Amino acid sequence: GQQLNQSPQSMFIQEGEDVSMNCTSSSIFNTWLWYKQDPREGPVLLIALYKAGELTSNGRLTAQFGITRKDSFLNISASIPSDVGIYFCAGSDSWGKLQFGAGTQVVVTP
Amino acid sequence: GAGVSQTPSNKVTEKGKYVELRCDPISGHTALYWYRQSLGQGPEFLIYFQGTGAADDSGLPNDRFFAVRPEGSVSTLKIQRTERGDSAVYLCASSDRAWRGNEAFFGQGTRLTVV
Protein backbone atom coordinates (compact mmCIF):
# COMPACT_ATOMS: atom_id res chain seq x y z
CA GLY A 1 0.00 0.00 0.00
CA GLN A 2 1.01 3.60 -0.43
CA GLN A 3 3.06 5.05 2.40
CA LEU A 4 4.49 8.39 3.35
CA ASN A 5 8.10 9.16 2.49
CA GLN A 6 10.04 9.05 5.73
CA SER A 7 13.75 9.77 6.00
CA PRO A 8 16.32 8.85 6.93
CA GLN A 9 15.75 5.10 6.95
CA SER A 10 18.22 4.65 9.80
CA MET A 11 20.48 6.71 12.03
CA PHE A 12 23.48 5.74 14.12
CA ILE A 13 24.22 8.43 16.65
CA GLN A 14 26.21 8.94 19.82
CA GLU A 15 24.55 9.54 23.14
CA GLY A 16 23.99 13.24 23.66
CA GLU A 17 23.57 14.07 19.98
CA ASP A 18 20.39 15.50 18.48
CA VAL A 19 18.28 13.49 16.05
CA SER A 20 16.13 14.83 13.25
CA MET A 21 13.80 12.94 10.90
CA ASN A 22 11.08 14.02 8.53
CA CYS A 23 8.12 12.83 6.58
CA THR A 24 6.58 14.06 3.33
CA SER A 25 3.41 13.18 1.49
CA SER A 26 1.70 13.99 -1.78
CA SER A 27 -1.58 14.15 0.15
CA ILE A 28 -2.83 16.70 2.66
CA PHE A 29 -3.52 15.49 6.18
CA ASN A 30 -5.44 17.21 8.95
CA THR A 31 -3.44 15.53 11.70
CA TRP A 32 0.17 14.36 11.87
CA LEU A 33 1.32 11.92 14.53
CA TRP A 34 4.66 10.50 15.58
CA TYR A 35 4.97 7.04 17.11
CA LYS A 36 7.83 4.99 18.57
CA GLN A 37 7.87 1.21 18.31
CA ASP A 38 10.04 -1.15 20.33
CA PRO A 39 10.57 -4.77 19.25
CA ARG A 40 7.50 -6.97 19.70
CA GLU A 41 5.43 -4.02 20.88
CA GLY A 42 2.78 -1.86 19.28
CA PRO A 43 3.52 1.73 18.29
CA VAL A 44 3.36 4.22 21.18
CA LEU A 45 2.08 7.73 20.50
CA LEU A 46 4.70 10.44 21.10
CA ILE A 47 3.23 13.63 19.67
CA ALA A 48 0.05 14.62 17.83
CA LEU A 49 -0.18 17.77 15.68
CA TYR A 50 -3.50 19.27 14.60
CA LYS A 51 -2.82 22.60 12.91
CA ALA A 52 -0.62 23.61 10.01
CA GLY A 53 2.49 25.33 11.35
CA GLU A 54 1.98 23.91 14.85
CA LEU A 55 5.14 23.25 16.84
CA THR A 56 4.72 20.91 19.81
CA SER A 57 7.14 19.59 22.40
CA ASN A 58 7.03 16.56 24.65
CA GLY A 59 10.10 16.55 26.88
CA ARG A 60 13.14 16.20 24.62
CA LEU A 61 10.92 15.68 21.57
CA THR A 62 9.80 18.46 19.28
CA ALA A 63 7.61 18.03 16.23
CA GLN A 64 6.16 20.41 13.66
CA PHE A 65 3.19 20.19 11.31
CA GLY A 66 4.32 21.62 7.97
CA ILE A 67 2.60 24.73 6.68
CA THR A 68 1.55 22.93 3.48
CA ARG A 69 0.00 20.10 5.58
CA LYS A 70 2.03 17.66 3.52
CA ASP A 71 5.03 17.25 5.79
CA SER A 72 6.23 17.00 9.37
CA PHE A 73 9.48 16.65 11.24
CA LEU A 74 10.52 15.22 14.59
CA ASN A 75 13.57 16.27 16.58
CA ILE A 76 15.01 14.46 19.58
CA SER A 77 17.46 16.50 21.60
CA ALA A 78 20.32 15.14 23.71
CA SER A 79 19.66 11.50 22.84
CA ILE A 80 19.92 8.81 25.51
CA PRO A 81 20.19 5.01 25.12
CA SER A 82 16.46 4.45 25.68
CA ASP A 83 15.71 6.52 22.57
CA VAL A 84 16.70 3.48 20.49
CA GLY A 85 13.82 2.14 18.44
CA ILE A 86 11.86 2.70 15.28
CA TYR A 87 10.07 6.02 14.85
CA PHE A 88 7.06 6.28 12.55
CA CYS A 89 5.29 9.30 11.20
CA ALA A 90 1.61 8.97 10.36
CA GLY A 91 -0.86 11.23 8.63
CA SER A 92 -4.51 11.01 9.60
CA ASP A 93 -7.67 11.71 7.63
CA SER A 94 -10.84 13.07 9.22
CA TRP A 95 -11.84 9.63 10.48
CA GLY A 96 -8.58 8.81 12.20
CA LYS A 97 -7.45 6.41 9.48
CA LEU A 98 -3.65 6.50 9.55
CA GLN A 99 -1.17 6.30 6.71
CA PHE A 100 2.31 5.47 7.98
CA GLY A 101 5.84 6.07 6.84
CA ALA A 102 8.26 3.16 6.60
CA GLY A 103 10.01 4.18 9.80
CA THR A 104 13.37 5.56 10.95
CA GLN A 105 15.56 3.14 12.90
CA VAL A 106 17.50 5.01 15.58
CA VAL A 107 20.54 3.40 17.20
CA VAL A 108 22.24 5.24 20.04
CA THR A 109 25.79 4.34 21.01
CA PRO A 110 27.28 5.34 24.36
CA GLY B 1 -5.67 -2.99 32.16
CA ALA B 2 -6.20 0.46 30.72
CA GLY B 3 -4.63 -0.17 27.31
CA VAL B 4 -5.66 -1.92 24.12
CA SER B 5 -5.40 -5.67 24.58
CA GLN B 6 -4.87 -8.16 21.75
CA THR B 7 -5.04 -11.93 21.94
CA PRO B 8 -3.31 -14.16 21.19
CA SER B 9 0.07 -12.44 21.15
CA ASN B 10 1.40 -15.13 18.80
CA LYS B 11 -0.41 -17.51 16.47
CA VAL B 12 1.08 -20.17 14.26
CA THR B 13 -1.28 -21.82 11.82
CA GLU B 14 -1.11 -24.09 8.82
CA LYS B 15 -1.80 -22.85 5.34
CA GLY B 16 -5.47 -23.13 4.54
CA LYS B 17 -6.69 -22.90 8.13
CA TYR B 18 -9.06 -20.32 9.62
CA VAL B 19 -7.89 -17.91 12.34
CA GLU B 20 -9.51 -15.34 14.60
CA LEU B 21 -7.65 -12.46 16.20
CA ARG B 22 -9.22 -10.55 19.07
CA CYS B 23 -8.96 -6.91 20.12
CA ASP B 24 -10.20 -5.36 23.38
CA PRO B 25 -10.11 -1.56 22.94
CA ILE B 26 -9.68 1.02 25.66
CA SER B 27 -12.94 1.29 27.59
CA GLY B 28 -15.21 3.96 26.17
CA HIS B 29 -13.36 4.30 22.86
CA THR B 30 -15.86 4.31 20.05
CA ALA B 31 -13.43 4.08 17.14
CA LEU B 32 -11.46 0.88 16.48
CA TYR B 33 -8.90 0.23 13.75
CA TRP B 34 -7.09 -2.82 12.44
CA TYR B 35 -3.69 -2.55 10.79
CA ARG B 36 -1.23 -5.08 9.38
CA GLN B 37 2.52 -4.64 9.68
CA SER B 38 5.01 -6.59 7.61
CA LEU B 39 8.67 -6.83 8.60
CA GLY B 40 10.54 -3.58 8.03
CA GLN B 41 7.40 -1.64 7.10
CA GLY B 42 4.99 0.73 8.76
CA PRO B 43 1.51 -0.48 9.65
CA GLU B 44 -1.01 -0.57 6.81
CA PHE B 45 -4.68 0.17 7.34
CA LEU B 46 -7.19 -2.68 7.06
CA ILE B 47 -10.55 -1.61 8.51
CA TYR B 48 -12.13 1.01 10.76
CA PHE B 49 -15.18 0.67 13.02
CA GLN B 50 -17.20 3.48 14.48
CA GLY B 51 -19.36 1.79 17.07
CA THR B 52 -20.64 -1.52 15.70
CA GLY B 53 -20.43 -0.69 12.02
CA ALA B 54 -17.47 -0.94 9.67
CA ALA B 55 -17.14 2.63 8.44
CA ASP B 56 -14.24 1.91 6.09
CA ASP B 57 -13.04 -1.56 5.04
CA SER B 58 -11.08 -0.39 2.01
CA GLY B 59 -7.81 -1.83 3.35
CA LEU B 60 -8.93 -5.45 3.56
CA PRO B 61 -6.80 -7.21 0.94
CA ASN B 62 -9.46 -9.68 -0.27
CA ASP B 63 -12.64 -11.47 0.74
CA ARG B 64 -10.75 -13.96 2.92
CA PHE B 65 -10.49 -11.16 5.49
CA PHE B 66 -13.46 -10.10 7.59
CA ALA B 67 -13.90 -8.25 10.87
CA VAL B 68 -16.78 -7.74 13.28
CA ARG B 69 -17.53 -5.63 16.32
CA PRO B 70 -21.02 -6.78 17.31
CA GLU B 71 -21.44 -4.82 20.56
CA GLY B 72 -19.30 -1.83 19.77
CA SER B 73 -16.44 -2.90 22.01
CA VAL B 74 -14.44 -6.09 21.34
CA SER B 75 -13.55 -6.74 17.72
CA THR B 76 -12.51 -9.93 15.96
CA LEU B 77 -10.50 -10.08 12.75
CA LYS B 78 -11.19 -13.29 10.87
CA ILE B 79 -8.99 -14.75 8.14
CA GLN B 80 -10.19 -17.70 6.08
CA ARG B 81 -8.02 -20.11 4.09
CA THR B 82 -4.83 -18.53 5.37
CA GLU B 83 -1.89 -18.15 3.01
CA ARG B 84 1.81 -17.77 3.78
CA GLY B 85 1.62 -14.17 2.59
CA ASP B 86 -0.79 -13.41 5.45
CA SER B 87 2.09 -13.76 7.91
CA ALA B 88 2.52 -10.39 9.64
CA VAL B 89 1.83 -8.55 12.86
CA TYR B 90 -1.82 -7.55 13.12
CA LEU B 91 -2.28 -4.40 15.18
CA CYS B 92 -5.44 -3.01 16.71
CA ALA B 93 -5.88 0.61 17.78
CA SER B 94 -8.68 2.56 19.41
CA SER B 95 -9.47 6.21 19.89
CA ASP B 96 -12.04 8.42 21.53
CA ARG B 97 -12.48 11.00 18.78
CA ALA B 98 -14.72 13.08 20.96
CA TRP B 99 -11.85 13.86 23.32
CA ARG B 100 -8.49 13.22 21.66
CA GLY B 101 -9.31 13.99 18.10
CA ASN B 102 -7.57 11.56 15.82
CA GLU B 103 -5.10 10.13 18.33
CA ALA B 104 -5.05 6.33 18.22
CA PHE B 105 -3.58 4.04 20.88
CA PHE B 106 -2.24 0.68 19.76
CA GLY B 107 -2.21 -2.77 21.27
CA GLN B 108 0.93 -4.93 21.28
CA GLY B 109 -0.21 -6.83 18.22
CA THR B 110 -0.77 -10.45 17.24
CA ARG B 111 2.12 -12.03 15.36
CA LEU B 112 0.59 -14.42 12.83
CA THR B 113 2.77 -17.01 11.17
CA VAL B 114 1.31 -19.19 8.44
CA VAL B 115 3.39 -22.30 7.73
Side-chain angles (χ1 to χ4, degrees):
Chain A
Q2 188 174 359
Q3 291 189 328
L4 306 180
N5 296 312
Q6 185 172 349
S7 63
Q9 190 173 24
S10 60
M11 304 184 72
F12 293 81
I13 59 172
Q14 285 197 315
E15 186 175 353
E17 288 184 344
D18 296 347
V19 176
S20 184
M21 61 194 79
N22 68 78
C23 219
T24 61
S25 169
S26 56
S27 305
I28 289 174
F29 292 106
N30 62 23
T31 304
W32 279 91
L33 304 102
W34 286 91
Y35 288 87
K36 179 174 182 271
Q37 188 173 29
D38 292 325
R40 298 194 172 268
E41 296 291 331
V44 174
L45 181 65
L46 299 174
I47 290 181
L49 302 154
Y50 296 102
K51 293 167 61 175
E54 178 182 355
L55 184 73
T56 296
S57 292
N58 178 9
R60 293 178 297 105
L61 308 178
T62 301
Q64 185 156 29
F65 191 149
I67 201 73
T68 65
R69 297 169 63 193
K70 292 184 178 182
D71 63 299
S72 178
F73 72 75
L74 175 71
N75 287 340
I76 307 172
S77 63
S79 58
I80 59 177
S82 61
D83 290 335
V84 67
I86 303 178
Y87 292 78
F88 290 99
C89 62
S92 175
D93 68 6
S94 299
W95 304 105
K97 173 180 165 183
L98 299 176
Q99 190 170 326
F100 282 85
T104 295
Q105 170 86 55
V106 172
V107 178
V108 180
T109 58
Chain B
V4 177
S5 176
Q6 291 188 247
T7 54
S9 54
N10 285 283
K11 176 71 176 177
V12 180
T13 190
E14 292 181 347
K15 180 176 176 298
K17 299 289 190 183
Y18 167 83
V19 295
E20 289 189 353
L21 312 178
R22 177 188 168 105
C23 172
D24 267 286
I26 293 172
S27 178
H29 279 195
T30 57
L32 185 146
Y33 309 82
W34 283 98
Y35 291 83
R36 179 167 73 173
Q37 186 174 24
S38 300
L39 193 63
Q41 298 294 319
E44 291 187 312
F45 170 79
L46 295 176
I47 187 169
Y48 154 54
F49 288 89
Q50 182 62 43
T52 60
D56 183 347
D57 64 358
S58 62
L60 294 178
N62 51 61
D63 61 7
R64 294 186 299 105
F65 289 74
F66 189 71
V68 295
R69 194 186 185 199
E71 297 178 355
S73 179
V74 170
S75 176
T76 305
L77 179 65
K78 308 180 181 195
I79 310 174
Q80 298 178 321
R81 305 183 303 280
T82 51
E83 300 177 357
R84 292 196 178 88
D86 298 335
S87 296
V89 176
Y90 289 81
L91 293 163
C92 176
S94 70
S95 72
D96 178 352
R97 297 184 69 248
W99 182 46
R100 286 288 195 180
N102 292 343
E103 295 174 20
F105 296 86
F106 283 80
Q108 84 283 7
T110 294
R111 185 174 299 272
L112 175 68
T113 304
V114 182
V115 298

